[in-house]
Every structure is written in structure tokens, then in C-alpha cells.
Amino acid sequence: MKSFTYERARTPAEAAATAARMPDAKFIAGGTNLLDLMKLQIEAPAHLIDVNKLALDKIEPTPEGGLRIGALVRNTDLAADPKVRSDYAVLSRALLSGASGQLRNKATTAGNLLQRTRCPYFYDTNQPCNKRKPGSGCSALGGFSRSNAVLGASDACIATHPSDMAVAMRALDATVETVRPDGATRPIPIAEFYRLPGDTPHRETVLDQGELITAVTVPKPVGGKHAYYKVRDRASYAFALISVATIVQPDGSGRVALGGVAAKPWRIEAAEAEMPRGAEAVSAQLLADAKTTSQNEFKLSLVKRTLAASLAEAKG
């Protein structure tokens, strides 16, 4: 790990301004992903801005009937919140499937959204990776690709986003709130928050330099039966091969978001019109543009079967 300087931010705007002024700076809260990357020198920030003392750790009702979740709310606390468990159960289930208890105790809401891919070539600094070093190439395209993307990928990158929480947030139509270096705030619908790789896979979100996440808001509850299915190589803590978040209403309508298949949570609202017809019809639209390798083609069948199981559960 390389040497770095450190400071504790006093306000969100101050933290954002410092990060904008120092391009090699990084925010740190739980550090469950950043510190690992620093040890491997995948990330080598010259300056760390500790945001743990900022008052961003509350879960509060919004005037519109939803919830405002502070950026520093720990995953354990969010999953256990009575309002989340009763009205946003898909979020609680996704969080509980997302990591070990020890990690959930430290990991934050904002950090969960911003965690980096677990593509093995991103972590292997001896291999080319456009996400780690732009322009170097993508080793996964001709290498081991079992865990990689089947949707939204490009010739520059086929990595997936690892967050379970983000998939549930996409199903809930969440909004990410930020503060910019000039103190201005902006809301970003989570549908617009993540970028597909294109030619710039190292740019993973629409956040500007120094922009700090302060909260995530979810709209008022939509009711229905919530489920989060995660398929992984082992039952203990592991990242998803695929995951399916569903919210199903009594009339069979609802919402579907997928994880483990793209560089962002994957949801196509037009596909949800097919939900009363069943999983096959929904999957056909969700997976219409899929591009697979010989090693990850199985993910298509896995999505169809997992979605079918989730809808069957919702129908009792």
C-alpha cells in the first residue's frame, strides 16, 4: 500500500470541494472495498477524506411517504429497519444476501452502490483491464468469462456490477442524492446513475469529480409481494452469478430487476407489461439483446428459471 494523507471532513460540501481540488483523493467510510483495492494497488489515492463524522446515518420518512436513507447508514441497520422490512422487503432481502454479517456491519449505503466489479481480471494487475487501466484491453473477452456480463457489454469490457442492494433499489425506483463541490445538490434517478461500459468502462457512474452521495430516497411503498433470489456458486458469502428482484401485485403486474448480468442493475420497464403472461414472456424481452460467451451462456437459462421461481412464489 502506498503512502497517503488523511483528513476528516466537517461537512458534505467541504468533502466534495476537497475531492474536486485533489483529483487523487478518495472518500472513505466503511472501506470494505476501497482498502482491499488499495492493498492491491488497484486504487492508490494520494489523499483520503473520511466522511464518517458527517450526519448522514439516519433513515427518515419523506414528505411524499417514502424513505430517505443516509449515505452512511450501515447495511445491517438498513436491512433490520422495521419500515424497510415491512414496506421495502426486497431491499432488506437483497442486503441480507449481499455479504457476511461482519461486512454488513461496516458497509454503507453509498459505498454499496459504488463498489467496483469483481471481474477476476480487474483484480489481477498482471492482466490487461480497461476498467483498471483505460486502453490496455479486456482480458475477459478471450479468457475466463463465466461470471461476466451477458447484457449491455461492449468490446472494451464485459464486467458486471456486484451490488445486490443496487438491484433492489432499481426495482424500487430509488433516487440518489448528491452534493457537488460548489455546494449545489442534485437528485439522480438510479435508472440514470450507472453507465454502460461503451468505450469508457472506467467511468462507471454519472458522478462528477468530487461529487459526494449524501442519501438515497425510495418512493412511497407500492405494496405487492417482494422477493430477491440470488444464485451463486456457494451458499455462504459470494457474489451473484445472477439475481432477480421482483415486486408482484395481486393482479400479476409488477416489477423485475436483474443483477449479475450487466455493468448495472438491469431493468426494462416494457418487459414488465408481460408479467401476467409469465416468466417466459418477461425473460424474452429482458434478454432480447443478450450477447454471451461459451462460458456464461448458462446465465440466460438461469435467469428464466429463477424468475419463474420468483413469480411462482408470489402467486403462492
Side-chain angles (χ1 to χ4, degrees):
M1 186 181 292
K2 295 184 177 180
S3 298
F4 56 88
T5 53
Y6 169 91
E7 71 173 277
R8 284 184 177 175
R10 293 174 295 182
T11 68
E14 177 187 272
T18 301
R21 190 172 63 251
M22 304 178 67
D24 290 334
K26 290 284 184 181
F27 301 120
I28 186 167
T32 57
N33 188 204
L34 178 60
L35 291 178
D36 285 343
L37 296 175
M38 289 173 66
K39 292 172 184 177
L40 295 170
Q41 295 189 21
I42 295 169
E43 295 275 11
H47 187 68
L48 289 184
I49 305 167
D50 189 336
V51 297
N52 280 296
K53 295 299 182 182
L54 304 181
L56 302 174
D57 58 351
K58 302 292 191 300
I59 303 173
E60 302 169 311
T62 66
E64 298 76 23
L67 282 184
R68 186 174 188 272
I69 303 160
L72 294 176
V73 172
R74 307 292 161 167
N75 288 179
T76 293
D77 296 329
L78 183 57
D81 182 84
K83 184 74 171 174
V84 173
R85 292 180 64 187
S86 62
D87 294 339
Y88 304 97
V90 66
L91 177 56
S92 182
R93 292 184 180 191
L95 286 162
L96 291 173
S97 73
S100 66
Q102 295 93 328
L103 284 172
R104 291 198 303 270
N105 289 342
K106 292 293 292 181
T108 63
T109 298
N112 193 309
L113 292 178
L114 294 174
Q115 60 184 298
R116 308 296 303 276
T117 184
R118 262 57 182 193
C119 176
Y121 296 106
F122 175 73
Y123 276 83
D124 185 350
T125 56
N126 293 311
Q127 300 292 331
C129 172
N130 287 320
K131 190 176 285 291
R132 176 169 31 82
K133 186 178 180 181
S136 62
C138 176
S139 299
L141 284 171
F144 182 73
S145 58
R146 183 172 181 272
S147 64
N148 290 92
V150 296
L151 291 163
S154 73
D155 291 338
C157 182
I158 58 171
T160 59
H161 194 271
S163 172
D164 291 286
M165 185 188 79
V167 180
M169 290 292 194
R170 180 67 180 91
L172 292 168
D173 283 328
T175 297
V176 180
E177 297 181 359
T178 71
V179 61
R180 289 174 156 174
D182 62 359
T185 61
R186 72 160 168 161
I188 307 171
I190 198 162
E192 303 169 10
F193 183 73
Y194 294 105
R195 296 166 54 101
L196 289 176
D199 295 328
T200 55
H202 60 290
R203 297 185 61 192
E204 297 172 343
T205 72
V206 298
L207 294 176
D208 295 328
Q209 175 65 37
E211 194 166 6
L212 174 70
I213 296 175
T214 54
V216 179
T217 59
V218 289
K220 64 181 181 181
V222 296
K225 292 189 176 182
H226 294 216
Y228 189 80
Y229 276 63
K230 179 176 180 178
V231 183
R232 45 194 165 181
D233 282 327
R234 60 181 188 274
S236 61
Y237 169 48
F239 294 98
L241 289 171
I242 66 100
S243 60
V244 178
T246 57
I247 301 174
V248 184
Q249 303 298 338
D251 64 359
S253 64
R255 304 176 182 182
V256 178
L258 305 179
V261 297
K264 65 178 185 178
W266 196 260
R267 182 181 172 197
I268 299 177
E269 282 83 344
E272 295 166 358
E274 303 292 333
M275 286 185 69
R277 295 180 55 201
E280 192 69 32
V282 180
S283 298
Q285 289 206 35
L286 283 173
L287 304 174
D289 296 323
K291 287 182 63 177
T292 65
T293 69
S294 60
Q295 296 178 21
N296 65 16
E297 187 177 7
F298 73 96
K299 285 192 174 189
L300 304 186
S301 296
L302 208 54
V303 166
K304 296 174 185 177
R305 294 171 182 174
T306 306
L307 178 57
S310 183
L311 296 184
E313 177 189 336
K315 294 176 181 178

